Amino acid sequence: MSNEVNPNIHSTETSHADLHDEHHVHHHKETFITKYVFSQDHKMIAKQFLATGIIWAIIGGLFSVLFRLQLGYPDETFPILETFFGRNAEGGRIQPEFYYSLVTMHGTVLIFFVLTAGLSGTFANFLIPLQIGARDMASPFLNMLSYWFFFAASVVMLSSLFVQTGPASGGWTVYPPLSALGQASEGSKIGMDLWLISMALFVVSSLLGGLNYITTILNMRTKGMSMTRMPLTIWALFFTAVLGVLSFPVLLSGFILLLFDRHLGTSFYLSDIYVNGQILPNEGGSAILYQHLFWFLGHPEVYIIALPAMGLTSEILSVNSRKPIFGYMAMIGSLFAITILAFLVWAHHMFVTGLNPFLGSVFVLLTLLIAVPSAIKVFNWLTTIWRGNIRFTPATLFAIGFVSVFISGGLTGIFLGNSTIDIHLHDTKFVVAHFHLVMGVSSMFGMLAGIYHWFPKMFGRYMNNTLGYIHFWVTITGAYLIFWPMHYEGLAGVPRRYLDLSGWTSFNQFTELNKFITIVSIVVFAVQLMFVFNYFYSMFKGRKLTTTNPWGANTLEWTTPINPGHGNWTGEIPEVHRWPYDYSKDGREFIPQTEKVGEDESQH
Amino acid sequence: MSTFLIIAILILGFVITFQIAKASEYVAILRGEEKARKQSNRINGFLLLIFLIVGLIGVYYCNEALKGKLLGESASDHGEKIDMMLYITIILTGIVFVITQVLLFWFAYKYQESDTRKSYYFPHNNKLELIWTVIPAIALTVLVGFGLFYWYKITGDAPKNALVVEITGSQFKWEMRYPGRDGVFGKKYFKEIDEAKSNPLGQIWDDPANHDDIVVTGDMPIVVNKPVKLIINAKDVIHDVGLAHFRMKMDAVPGTPTTMWFTPKFTTAQAKEKWGAEFVYEISCDQMCGKGHYSMRGTITVITQEEFDRWMYSQQPQYYAAFPDRNPANTPAITDSVKVASVNPTAAGTTLMN
Ligand code: HEM
Ligand SMILES: [Cu+2]
Ligand SMILES: [Cu+2]
């Protein structure tokens, strides 16, 4: 059975071939700049997103190690910190304002720069054209702009770390009035403006990207690639883009009003404020309005992070179980349901803000409703591996790990979505444990699975497997050791964003546990560095690919040459004849999408 | 020094791991890639099984180690309902957790690649999919039903006889106001706030209802077995009144007062007997409010009605702190009654009516 594209497949369809003739060979000279910097090739842009995302992940992870040092060892001094951070860590102790900056930057960076830009940016760019059979995005130029807006956002955010009053420090949600008033906090001065500017640039980047992804998926599928023959990765990335396009503008509007309140004397969010000995003139604003605008993005954002990981997991589990994904249509249906419901649950973050209790109860219903499609997905993944013939590549392991932590974190969502229980658990460490498992760790796992799986397609080389296995086992063990016991702190009422519990009689019983968690986080962080090393090392020195289709997969990206040029296929774009999940059908291990349906093939 | 040592050890471990990893890759090529792949497949399959077993034991052990550090019995009636919901949810999700994790890791182990097996082509099955749509839907409906039943009780109106206390958060302290004898809070306006003139809450002194209002900082006395309703305010940024022992929580939003109510079950003295001499009911700020957020602490003292009345009687209205010359205690006895009556006719009237 041949895995190569059959160059004769379209020999009879000359008209179709003509259409693409102009793309076949790329004659224009590529300089270093156009190839690696201002590239319009979707594959290169994907790699740029990934590399930038990895750098941000190291920074964001390092921040968590720093504030974990404070949480684990509140009484100890670390002179080395003073060497690096000067008065922010006076006497080797992390100062409160600095702690809050670290937490805020950690959250912002990991959510937006790593798991939104780094995850969607990488895999939407890389996989959409390759898996639907297109030579590039609908607009390669806007696609390039999307990366460079992200780059600009990164530069601004990075620069905010170095201003004198420090970066934003009000938490990644930057609730006003705290974030609106420089008098209330050092981080709400210039650092907050830079944060808002950076996020505005980020929104532009994500809109340019998202519109491009949607257009490409809807219009540029190759012959035979009907919507229901698309791999689930593409479906997931499609819904992710829809979520982003519909919700990011609302966030931007919230930010713009915040900028007005900060600089133009408006009172959208401000009313009745006496701060730092000063009476402000503002009256009539509502601080809660901001929270509605924020969470109208903020909740979909959780799914913007989770859906791509779900798509990658579905694909990887199916390929490596040598079995079709179970319930393809149900998987699409549940993605669709999640997308719709994601817009209808935002106020579950606001049960204790004084929200009308009746309104609250509506949001309880909708929130628990969204658990149903999530449950369907989990059961479908379980059935996918059931009676499979599973190959444990590092990618498979991370995909299995994804399902495990997604279950663990998803179940605690049922606690928090039930407003009655949320009264007690809101804004405690329980929430921190919950969202790290369900969105932080799980999406990280999805992303890592994707990197291990598609690395050979990206660079024509393999990553080192042994390091991959070590990476997986340490990371999943560490993730559970860090976040499982953290639920108990939350159940005991320990509030989040508390940097020292020694002043409290109710919360000071967790010193040992906090030390333990800190040590584990340092180990986990070190192992991530090992992964980063493996990534960059294998890029240049990894074992070379000798076959175009190393995993025996059905999807189109594996029909391209080992190192595809701009345009992806050297010949004709292949035509698609079937769905992507014909694994182990009729006694054949896999049947690529490009193969015509046989006369006597069984139906499903 | 020790920092450098740790970093050196980390780097060393790193280099060694990397060398081993690289070597194993060469060995794999020498021994035949297919064979090496199958072997690592078996190892990882086995590790998945071990992870499941050790993991489940770990979950049990973690619970044994930490359950003693949780809060004891709820100290309020609402808290009992919340705890009840919590237990129901823990049991239900616990069952689902164990089943799904066992299936996941067991399947992964059992169906690891083997030369003797072919995957089973099983793309969909409507009956199965229907079952696992309907069962979670029913389970969730039950949870929502219970939850909302309690939710409405907890967020419903406070009983008429409730003790009403106003609590105001500001960076980084809590201030409470009691309505005094008249049972009515005087009007406030934030532009009246003037800490130098002993008016931290912005009480409008022209409103006679303010003249007997009592303001205290830090500790909030309330009465055991009597519902207490909190009117929650903030002066600068958003704070949150977090009462872990009573399982209650509500944001304090500048410009938008909020409320919550509950009934404390044990006096502080009883609670100390139950949970040790150091025990205090603490008010934690649960909403990020600036650099002192982690230390924004208040306390609650639960006492009997009798003790409360005595305490109340001993307090001076804030009005006298703002206008010491109008305090009867500071003026000669003869002019006393005249002065109070002339300054504060309504308050006197209300008191009489009570
Ligand atoms: C080594 C891994 C990680 C560790 C040890 C860690 C640890 C923590 C801890 C302890 C907090 C709470 C700090 C506090 O309440 O004072 C926190 C906050 C947070 N983390 Fe992580 N984290 C990790 C990875 C991630 C990832 C992958 C994400 C991506 C979603 C993430 C997103 C967040 C967010 C959004 C917050 C909230 C920030 C805020 O309160 O404004 N973290 N992290
Ligand atoms: Cu949400
Ligand atoms: Cu606070």
Side-chain angles (χ1 to χ4, degrees), chain A residues 274 283 321 327 330 352 361 368 389-390 392 404 420 424 426-427 466 473 488 498 504 506 509 543 582, chain B residues 24 33 41 44 63 69 101 111 113-114 119 121 123 129 144 147 151-152 189 235 249 251 282 285-286 294:
Chain A
Y274 169 86
E283 282 180 80
S321 305
V352 300
S361 66
L368 296 191
N389 205 18
I390 311 170
F392 298 118
S404 173
T420 309
H424 176 50
H426 182 76
D427 264 340
T466 312
W473 285 111
Y488 285 80
Y498 268 29
W504 299 81
S506 317
Q509 68 273 44
R543 204 156 41 93
D582 275 338
Chain B
S24 71
E33 290 194 47
N41 219 64
N44 280 296
N63 188 54
K69 295 183 188 288
Q101 298 285 4
Y111 299 107
E113 188 179 50
S114 134
S119 286
Y121 187 81
E129 286 165 75
V144 171
W151 170 248
Y152 283 122
Y189 185 47
K235 280 195 264 188
K249 186 171 291 154
D251 277 0
E282 284 175 315
C285 178
D286 284 357
Y294 71 102

Side-chain angles (χ1 to χ4, degrees), chain A residues 80 96-97 100 169-170 175-178 184 271-274 279-283 287 291 321-327 330 351-354 357-358 361 365 368 371-372 376 379-380 382-383 385-392 397 400 404 407-408 411 414-415 418-421 423-424 426-428 464 466-467 469-470 473 476-477 480 484-485 488 491-492 495-500 503-506 509 530 533 537 543 579 582-585 604, chain B residues 3 10 14 17-18 21-22 24-25 29 33 37 40-41 44-45 47-48 51 59 62-63 66 69-71 82 85-86 89-90 93 96-97 100-101 104-105 107-108 111-114 117 119-125 128-129 132-133 136-137 140 143-144 147-148 150-152 154-155 171 189-191 193 195 235-238 240 244-245 247-251 253-255 258 278 280 282-291 293-297:
Chain A
I80 189 169
E97 189 84 42
Y100 287 125
S169 62
Y175 282 178
L178 181 63
S271 186
D272 297 29
I273 290 171
Y274 169 86
I279 292 166
L280 301 188
N282 313 66
E283 282 180 80
Q291 298 186 18
S321 305
R322 316 310 286 152
K323 233 184 125 230
I325 190 80
F326 181 79
F351 286 139
V352 300
T353 55
F358 174 72
S361 66
L365 272 172
L368 296 191
V372 175
I376 295 174
F379 290 124
N380 284 0
L382 290 177
T383 318
I385 64 170
W386 174 71
R387 293 185 65 182
N389 205 18
I390 311 170
R391 297 183 313 208
F392 298 118
L397 291 176
I400 292 171
S404 173
I407 294 171
S408 305
L411 287 173
I414 294 174
F415 293 59
N418 212 338
S419 53
T420 309
I421 306 179
I423 298 175
H424 176 50
H426 182 76
D427 264 340
T428 63
N464 182 301
T466 312
L467 287 183
Y469 291 133
I470 297 174
W473 285 111
I476 189 168
T477 311
Y480 271 118
W484 189 269
Y488 285 80
L491 287 171
R496 70 193 273 208
R497 297 164 176 164
Y498 268 29
L499 55 107
D500 186 354
W504 299 81
T505 46
S506 317
Q509 68 273 44
M530 193 184 77
F533 178 79
Y537 179 86
R543 204 156 41 93
W579 76 324
D582 275 338
Y583 292 102
S584 303
K585 187 182 183 194
H604 71 260
Chain B
T3 336
L10 276 178
F14 205 79
T17 320
F18 176 63
K22 223 166 65 178
S24 71
E25 205 169 45
I29 294 171
E33 290 194 47
R37 195 180 66 74
S40 80
N41 219 64
N44 280 296
L47 285 175
L48 284 164
F51 185 80
V59 167
C62 176
N63 188 54
L66 293 178
K69 295 183 188 288
L70 297 184
L71 298 161
I82 291 171
M85 271 313 297
L86 195 62
T89 313
I90 287 177
T93 54
V96 178
F97 173 80
T100 47
Q101 298 285 4
L104 176 68
F105 287 97
F107 286 172
Y111 299 107
Q112 59 178 286
E113 188 179 50
S114 134
R117 190 178 37 246
S119 286
Y120 170 48
Y121 187 81
F122 187 44
H124 69 110
N125 178 321
L128 273 181
E129 286 165 75
W132 59 57
T133 309
L140 288 167
L143 284 179
V144 171
L148 290 185
Y150 289 146
W151 170 248
Y152 283 122
I154 293 170
T155 58
Q171 289 181 331
Y189 185 47
F190 75 105
K191 291 189 177 169
I193 295 178
E195 276 169 352
K235 280 195 264 188
D236 38 31
V237 301
I238 303 179
D240 182 287
H245 300 104
R247 313 285 191 270
M248 295 302 290
K249 186 171 291 154
M250 181 56 85
D251 277 0
V253 186
T258 55
E278 312 87 69
V280 258
E282 284 175 315
I283 307 174
S284 55
C285 178
D286 284 357
Q287 182 60 262
M288 178 64 201
C289 59
K291 67 176 175 196
H293 169 58
Y294 71 102
S295 57
M296 184 164 162
R297 177 175 179 269

Side-chain angles (χ1 to χ4, degrees), chain B residues 194-205:
Chain B
D194 193 339
E195 276 169 352
K197 291 196 182 142
S198 294
N199 192 359
L201 297 178
Q203 284 167 283
I204 301 173
W205 299 126

Side-chain angles (χ1 to χ4, degrees), chain B residues 3 41 50 96 106 118 126 189 211 250 267 308 315 353:
Chain B
T3 336
N41 219 64
I50 297 293
V96 178
W106 172 248
K118 280 252 169 291
N126 291 343
Y189 185 47
H211 294 185
M250 181 56 85
T267 63
F308 182 80
Q315 293 297 307
M353 267 161 28

Side-chain angles (χ1 to χ4, degrees), chain A residues 95-160:
Chain A
Q95 299 299 305
E97 189 84 42
F98 185 51
Y99 177 91
Y100 287 125
S101 296
L102 289 173
V103 171
T104 305
M105 285 298 132
H106 163 82
T108 308
V109 162
L110 280 159
I111 289 203
F112 292 111
F113 289 13
V114 179
L115 291 177
T116 305
L119 178 56
S120 282
T122 303
F123 288 102
N125 272 307
F126 194 72
L127 291 181
I128 290 174
L130 282 173
Q131 288 197 329
I132 65 171
R135 298 208 180 268
D136 205 319
M137 285 287 174
S139 169
F141 179 69
L142 288 187
N143 208 27
M144 176 183 81
L145 277 189
S146 157
Y147 173 75
W148 286 103
F149 268 99
F150 170 49
F151 187 82
S154 297
V155 170
V156 176
M157 193 61 86
L158 205 59
S159 71
S160 83

Side-chain angles (χ1 to χ4, degrees), chain A residues 184-248:
Chain A
S185 156
E186 288 288 290
S188 301
K189 292 182 172 153
I190 181 87
M192 190 62 220
D193 286 318
L194 291 171
W195 192 95
L196 287 168
I197 292 167
S198 168
M199 285 307 299
L201 291 168
F202 184 86
V203 171
V204 174
S205 156
S206 123
L207 289 180
L208 289 174
L211 288 169
N212 226 336
Y213 308 151
I214 295 171
T215 319
T216 309
I217 293 171
L218 290 181
N219 296 312
M220 300 187 53
R221 297 184 313 267
T222 184
K223 194 147 181 276
M225 179 67 85
S226 62
M227 291 297 272
T228 49
R229 282 184 184 165
M230 296 196 310
L232 286 173
T233 30
I234 302 300
W235 272 109
L237 291 164
F238 176 72
F239 284 121
T240 306
V242 171
L243 279 170
V245 165
L246 294 180
S247 61
F248 268 116

